Amino acid sequence: MTLISRRQSTCVQVGEKLIGGDSPILVQSMTNTDTADPLATAAQIRELWQSGSEIVRITVNTKEAAQSVPEIVSSLEKMGICPPLVGDFHYNGHILLKQYPDCARLLSKYRINPGNVGHGNKHDENFRQMIEVALRFDKPVRIGVNWGSLDAELLSSMMDDNARLAEPLAGREVLIEAVVGSALKSASLAESYGMKHDRLILSAKVSEVKDLISVYRKLAQRSNYALHLGLTEAGMGMKGIVASTAGIAPILLEGIGDTIRVSLTPEPGLSRAQEVIVCQQILQSLGLRSFAAQVTSCPGCGRTASGTFQQLAQQIQQYLSDQRIIWSEQFPGAEDLRVAVMGCIVNGPGESRQADIGICLPGSGEEPRAPVYIDGEHASTLSGADLVKDFIDILNAYVERRFGSATHSPKPPVRSCCPRNCAAPQDAR
């Protein structure tokens, strides 16, 4: 599929990050610690940031959580990192933002769910109070509609209107229209209170792939607000990864979307940072951004009777992952590196030549020798018990030669991403 030109959304500044316009599509994540525990929350933010999350959202649901925000920020500054923090507000955000000004000041952005800011006459008043705090501290706002917490009065009204039509729409179509309408109506209301157009980001999250695609196409057609993409309640493990990818990727290929999140239910014992890695892989697989060197490897067949090449592919993938942060600092550009690890002579040499550097292990019945290709040319042949170590040595030499300081200028200093004037560099992760 050919990538269509990216939709020109309004550019929004969050801290020193730019969202929308021609800016890179950013990766976002969210903590699942109790925000009232500032040390645990700061530790998880650091983990997410170091994994590559460029924006981190935290729950602010109680006075204790709001009171903890200054300590969280202080802890992060001591760690030398300053990720933009987004406060997630439901039900009582208008109270917390007014009562705890340090929390409101230190957050980089507020996320408001218009379905959870009060009902009836209280809805607009509570929403207005939150927008007024955002204006006071010059903070952007993400209006985040979730169909699981949609404004019941809005949906009921739209269902009634639809029922009176000569040819009513299906209930699900009305629901999708209500999600889109809620986001656009809330954005218009925020602007009527003084919020500038370029300080608003919209999201309209659903939990079904086809509905996600439909919702964001409608939002993109009807507005130029920056858009945050993602399935809500994506699920656990493989289901969540596949569903999120199936929903987000087509929209990105249509040029729609400015930030993304993969909302995985974390499996017991696995890091919360898995959702960050999946986001990065989606963007890199689509050719939209590069985060880490990639391994191309074959699935194996009857020719690859030995498990050696699978083990080598796993070891090389792990090695590249371990080197990601180091290489990002010492060898800028190495995130675009393509490494092939192949298991037999059928496709091995061809794939290895297509990669920047590749190795073709012998298949069943083949001569026990592994040719190495660099920049499309046969460079050497490896064999024996030290094959993995020897290939990593060749790989390291190639990275240093191609991406080292002799051929690449060092990265220029980057200003802090921190709206709080912390001295930590943007690339601290």
Side-chain angles (χ1 to χ4, degrees), residues 327-329 331-333 335 408-414 427:
W327 282 1
S328 69
E329 297 172 353
F331 304 115
E335 64 272 11
H408 284 71
S409 300
K411 288 185 180 180
V414 182
D427 285 342

Side-chain angles (χ1 to χ4, degrees), residues 161-204:
D161 291 342
N162 180 67
R164 288 191 286 268
L165 295 176
E167 296 183 8
L169 300 173
R172 201 167 191 85
E173 292 182 66
V174 179
L175 180 60
I176 288 174
E177 188 60 36
V179 169
V180 173
S182 176
L184 295 176
K185 178 183 176 182
S186 297
S188 177
L189 189 61
E191 290 192 50
S192 74
Y193 296 146
M195 179 67 69
K196 293 183 179 179
H197 192 83
D198 64 359
R199 301 299 277 163
L200 290 170
I201 299 166
L202 302 188
S203 69

Side-chain angles (χ1 to χ4, degrees), residues 48-216:
L48 293 167
W49 177 248
Q50 290 178 335
S51 297
S53 180
E54 293 156 306
I55 300 173
V56 181
R57 182 156 52 113
I58 62 175
T59 297
V60 186
N61 58 333
T62 63
K63 66 178 183 179
E64 290 80 10
Q67 290 171 332
S68 292
V69 170
E71 187 174 347
I72 292 169
V73 170
S74 177
S75 296
L76 293 172
E77 291 178 353
K78 291 175 183 177
M79 297 174 189
I81 61 174
C82 297
L85 297 183
V86 180
D88 192 61
F89 295 97
H90 298 267
Y91 309 112
N92 59 354
H94 59 294
I95 297 172
L96 296 176
L97 283 170
K98 287 192 304 179
Q99 291 186 350
Y100 300 97
D102 284 344
C103 167
R105 175 178 59 84
L106 291 170
L107 292 170
S108 298
K109 183 174 71 173
Y110 310 152
R111 186 272 184 152
I112 303 174
N113 182 340
N116 291 338
V117 295
H119 301 286
N121 295 332
K122 291 185 177 180
H123 178 281
D124 289 0
E125 175 60 21
N126 293 350
F127 185 75
R128 180 186 63 78
Q129 291 181 44
M130 298 177 77
I131 296 300
E132 286 179 348
V133 175
L135 291 170
R136 175 186 172 190
F137 291 104
D138 191 24
K139 303 296 181 180
V141 168
R142 171 158 74 92
I143 294 174
V145 179
N146 274 25
W147 73 351
S149 53
L150 191 60
D151 186 326
E153 293 178 7
L154 173 65
L155 179 59
S156 177
S157 174
M158 292 184 68
M159 287 291 189
D160 290 343
D161 291 342
N162 180 67
R164 288 191 286 268
L165 295 176
E167 296 183 8
L169 300 173
R172 201 167 191 85
E173 292 182 66
V174 179
L175 180 60
I176 288 174
E177 188 60 36
V179 169
V180 173
S182 176
L184 295 176
K185 178 183 176 182
S186 297
S188 177
L189 189 61
E191 290 192 50
S192 74
Y193 296 146
M195 179 67 69
K196 293 183 179 179
H197 192 83
D198 64 359
R199 301 299 277 163
L200 290 170
I201 299 166
L202 302 188
S203 69
K205 291 190 175 183
V206 296
S207 56
E208 298 294 331
V209 169
K210 290 183 179 179
D211 295 328
L212 175 79
I213 294 171
S214 178
V215 162
Y216 277 97

Side-chain angles (χ1 to χ4, degrees), residues 317-376:
Q317 183 66 70
Q318 185 61 53
Y319 181 76
L320 294 178
S321 177
D322 293 342
Q323 295 298 111
R324 181 182 65 87
I325 295 176
I326 298 172
W327 282 1
S328 69
E329 297 172 353
Q330 296 182 356
F331 304 115
E335 64 272 11
D336 293 315
L337 182 70
R338 295 168 302 139
V339 181
V341 179
M342 304 300 293
C344 78
I345 200 171
V346 175
N347 293 321
E351 287 285 359
S352 296
R353 287 190 178 97
Q354 292 296 321
D356 296 309
I357 179 170
I359 184 170
C360 178
L361 272 68
S364 178
E366 297 174 14
E367 185 178 354
R369 294 162 62 84
V372 175
Y373 298 85
I374 296 177
D375 294 331

